[in-house]
Amino acid sequence: MLVMGSLIAWAVGPGGGPVPVGAAPVIRADGVLEMLKPDGSVAATLAVEIAETPEARARGLMERVLSDFMAGMLFIFESAQTQTFWMRNTPGSLDMIFVDAGSRVLNIAAHTTPLSDQLYSSAGPAKYVVETKAGFCGRFGIQPGYSIRWKRL
């Protein structure tokens, strides 16, 4: 399956909810995702839009701009298998975090190449993929062996 990644916009309005940045649509804050260190402590927290249908996964974050490190997208697949993404029609770089069915980070495609058909794949069967602004993993020290914990809002 080939899923196209893209960028997202995120800003917080006076009431704490998302507001548009320029004319770009914002993500839906469907859930909260925590990146956990091996000792279980929280390395970073993201508001995430959840893409769990084939249509939502194919659409991804197209036509949106990520303005900070506090938002992303969580792709959920029916089963763990090799997942492959690309950056076609994506104007900015992302960090793609591939996660197995046990919620453990398998590998990271950091600073992906915008507007390219270069393929980025999981290093084993992945049930989840988290897309964040490029540099997120370096900024928060995210690496293989970390894990995720998430919940719907």
Side-chain angles (χ1 to χ4, degrees):
M1 166 178 266
L2 191 61
V3 179
M4 293 180 286
S6 189
L7 294 178
I8 60 174
W10 182 259
V12 177
V19 295
V21 175
V26 297
I27 68 160
R28 288 185 321 266
D30 296 330
V32 174
L33 183 139
E34 295 174 320
M35 301 298 306
L36 305 173
K37 297 177 183 179
D39 67 6
S41 63
V42 177
T45 302
L46 295 166
V48 290
E49 180 169 324
I50 298 172
E52 58 190 328
T53 66
E55 297 79 19
R57 289 190 301 262
R59 185 176 54 251
L61 300 173
M62 295 176 69
E63 307 301 325
R64 297 182 269 182
V65 177
L66 180 60
S67 62
D68 64 34
F69 293 110
M70 306 318 300
M73 181 166 250
L74 172 63
F75 294 82
I76 303 173
F77 296 89
E78 291 84 21
S79 62
Q81 58 188 1
T82 299
Q83 304 298 340
T84 300
F85 283 56
W86 64 0
M87 295 290 292
R88 182 181 291 173
N89 300 322
T90 305
S93 185
L94 299 173
D95 285 355
M96 295 177 186
I97 305 163
F98 297 93
V99 181
D100 69 15
S103 299
R104 189 177 62 85
V105 173
L106 294 168
N107 65 300
I108 298 164
H111 296 276
T112 57
T113 303
L115 303 171
S116 80
D117 288 346
Q118 179 178 343
L119 300 178
Y120 301 94
S121 297
S122 60
K127 179 151 174 75
Y128 308 98
V129 179
V130 180
E131 288 186 340
T132 64
K133 181 178 179 175
F136 173 85
C137 292
R139 172 175 242 174
F140 296 103
I142 309 304
Q143 54 192 300
Y146 277 44
S147 60
I148 66 169
R149 176 172 59 207
W150 63 277
K151 66 178 180 179
R152 293 181 195 276
L153 293 177

